[in-house]
Amino acid sequence: DQQVKQNSPSLSVQEGRISILNCDYTNSMFDYFLWYKKYPAEGPTFLISISSIKDKNEDGRFTVFLNKSAKHLSLHIVPSQPGDSAVYFCAASGASYDKVIFGPGTSLSVIP
Amino acid sequence: NAGVMQNPRHLVRRRGQEARLRCSPMKGHSHVYWYRQLPEEGLKFMVYLQKENIIDESGMPKERFSAEFPKEGPSILRIQQVVRGDSAAYFCASSPANGNTIYFGEGSWLTVV
């Protein structure tokens, strides 16, 4: 039972354009959401998070949007750069002392 | 470097041997998580620990796998009698006691031959 879903295994975007990565979740108890970026042979790196009391959080080129009624969140990267090419994982957790559940990941390729 | 430290980075074991993976959390972090990434798959939760206590082990295989986080020293993920299907990348992450964000180490790659 996959509680966090990323339905696009891969995405290609031209350099300078916007990348939009999508994520859906099924567990209504989730109240904290995170995005991680992962390069091959390295550990995931934390990018940005959002709590359920917000619908948007922005950090530089990265913005996360949360639609609680649709149980959907998205990560926007603008402008996209070739160094952004990586696998992006969406993750979610409930209250403190709850494990963090990851989606299957979306592989982003930014084409120069 | 005050990040999450994992060792060894790469480990080769023959079938039937034991594998021990170690993780030292970030300074000030008291909670440790272990995840496994099988080839071509995502990150699967295994276990969540705090010092001397397992909080959630719902993702641990029922046999051969165990984890601990002693009062002193690193967290250890132990795999007994390894099989080829255990070959994977094992990632450790840590968080502060009341934190929601977890930070990962570089991973340990286990190869069973």
Side-chain angles (χ1 to χ4, degrees):
Chain A
D1 175 30
Q2 205 171 53
Q3 298 186 66
V4 180
K5 303 177 185 183
Q6 294 176 258
N7 292 322
S8 298
S10 62
L11 176 68
S12 285
V13 171
Q14 206 72 31
E15 180 179 4
R17 306 294 289 268
I18 185 171
S19 296
I20 300 176
L21 297 105
N22 293 304
C23 176
D24 298 289
Y25 61 96
T26 58
N27 189 338
S28 57
M29 299 301 290
F30 287 148
D31 63 2
Y32 191 72
F33 304 90
L34 313 96
W35 284 94
Y36 289 80
K37 172 181 175 180
K38 187 181 180 305
Y39 294 119
E42 294 185 11
T45 302
F46 169 71
L47 272 178
I48 192 168
S49 62
I50 188 167
S51 103
S52 59
I53 61 172
K54 291 184 162 185
D55 55 17
K56 177 182 174 182
N57 190 25
E58 191 172 354
D59 184 1
R61 296 186 298 114
F62 302 91
T63 303
V64 56
F65 295 91
L66 175 63
N67 182 333
K68 279 189 64 180
S69 60
K71 295 192 178 69
H72 177 84
L73 60 154
S74 60
L75 175 68
H76 292 209
I77 307 173
V78 56
S80 300
Q81 300 173 353
D84 296 329
S85 297
V87 177
Y88 288 79
F89 290 99
C90 171
S93 70
S96 291
Y97 295 101
D98 196 15
K99 57 188 180 247
V100 180
I101 302 296
F102 283 77
T106 295
S107 178
L108 173 67
S109 296
V110 179
I111 304 160
Chain B
N1 186 347
V4 178
M5 303 301 292
Q6 289 189 247
N7 69 82
R9 288 297 311 278
H10 298 277
L11 182 63
V12 179
R13 284 287 178 266
R14 294 187 184 279
R15 280 178 294 171
Q17 290 185 319
E18 178 180 288
R20 284 191 182 221
L21 309 177
R22 287 175 290 280
C23 171
S24 296
M26 283 178 75
K27 189 175 181 181
H29 286 192
S30 57
H31 289 206
V32 163
Y33 306 72
W34 285 94
Y35 287 81
R36 176 166 66 171
Q37 186 176 29
L38 294 166
E40 307 302 322
E41 293 191 15
L43 294 160
K44 300 294 186 186
F45 168 79
M46 298 182 76
V47 63
Y48 172 20
L49 313 103
Q50 65 180 112
K51 290 277 186 185
E52 300 184 287
N53 185 32
I54 295 175
I55 299 174
D56 186 332
E57 57 180 347
S58 57
M60 287 282 269
K62 294 286 184 270
E63 297 176 347
R64 303 186 296 109
F65 285 71
S66 62
E68 61 175 5
F69 189 15
K71 188 176 179 182
E72 301 291 337
S75 174
I76 307 281
L77 179 67
R78 182 183 179 205
I79 311 171
Q80 295 177 287
Q81 299 170 7
V82 295
V83 300
R84 288 229 171 100
D86 297 333
S87 295
Y90 292 83
F91 293 99
C92 173
S94 72
S95 72
N98 294 317
N100 298 96
T101 302
I102 64 174
Y103 298 89
F104 282 88
E106 291 296 300
S108 290
W109 269 259
L110 172 65
T111 302
V112 180
V113 296

